[in-house]
Every structure is written in C-alpha cells, then in structure tokens.
Amino acid sequence: NTNEVAAVAACKTVTTACQNFYANIIPHTYPTALSDLVVPVSNPPYIDSVLASGTKQGYRFTYVLINAESFILNVDPVFSGKTGTRHFFVDESGIIRANHDAQASSADPAVE
C-alpha cells in the first residue's frame, strides 16, 4: 500500500514537472523523456534523478511523448502483487487512472 501511495504521488510530481517544462520551453513541448526533467537538461531539476531513472519504490515509470501537446505515463509494479497491486496511468490532463489487473489506460477509472 505504501508503494502505491508513493506511485500516485510520483504521478502527480511527473505531471507537474511536465507542465512546468512545457510552460518554460519555446516552442512549447513536453519533454522527450523523464531524463529531460533533471540536470543537465533542466537546471534546477523538475524531478529527482531516481524517478528520472524510471524505477522508484517498487514501481516502473514508462513515459512516452505522443507529440508536442501530449504525453502518457504508465506506472506498473516491478513485481506485481509484491511491490504493488495496482497499475497507474496519467497523461497531460493530470487525471490519474488505475487498473488492478493490467497496465492502466485512459479508459480506466480515475483514482480518488
């Protein structure tokens, strides 16, 4: 449960970081990878280097830039059932969604 709470918090952190990155880059675009959100690309960094590595607190973070105006982030347990039971999804809307059985998507219910 603690890992899942941390994963949801990290989803919020990444979404906020992506929005800040977007606002500060001309022409506006979201980052191409999580690594764009840390030094040396972003100084000061928007997220910590552990999160930018793609794995943190038992969860794997997979970021995909769709185009300059959209991205998706899938957050999945490294060991399903052990490091977490829910899978999470967030996009530029900031709405975090969860699925208990498989990788989450925009079709899954929002986390409350």
Side-chain angles (χ1 to χ4, degrees):
N1 192 21
T2 301
N3 287 352
E4 290 184 3
V5 170
V8 169
C11 286
K12 292 176 185 177
T13 297
V14 169
T15 302
T16 300
C18 287
Q19 297 297 348
N20 287 334
F21 183 96
Y22 181 92
N24 291 318
I25 297 294
I26 304 293
H28 295 298
T29 185
Y30 288 109
T32 59
L34 290 177
S35 59
D36 289 349
L37 300 172
V38 294
V39 173
V41 178
S42 297
N43 193 7
Y46 294 105
I47 62 174
D48 66 69
S49 60
V50 176
L51 182 53
S53 75
T55 304
K56 186 170 184 175
Q57 289 184 267
Y59 271 82
R60 184 170 294 110
F61 295 77
T62 306
Y63 174 89
V64 177
L65 175 66
I66 304 300
N67 58 46
E69 300 294 321
S70 61
F71 69 88
I72 59 171
L73 179 70
N74 283 101
V75 182
D76 301 294
V78 173
F79 301 105
S80 191
K82 185 170 183 172
T83 61
T85 57
R86 292 190 296 170
H87 303 256
F88 301 100
F89 169 92
V90 67
D91 60 17
E92 68 283 347
S93 72
I95 299 169
I96 301 168
R97 301 180 178 281
N99 186 313
H100 284 279
D101 302 316
Q103 190 173 63
S105 73
S106 60
D108 288 307
V111 173
E112 297 192 29

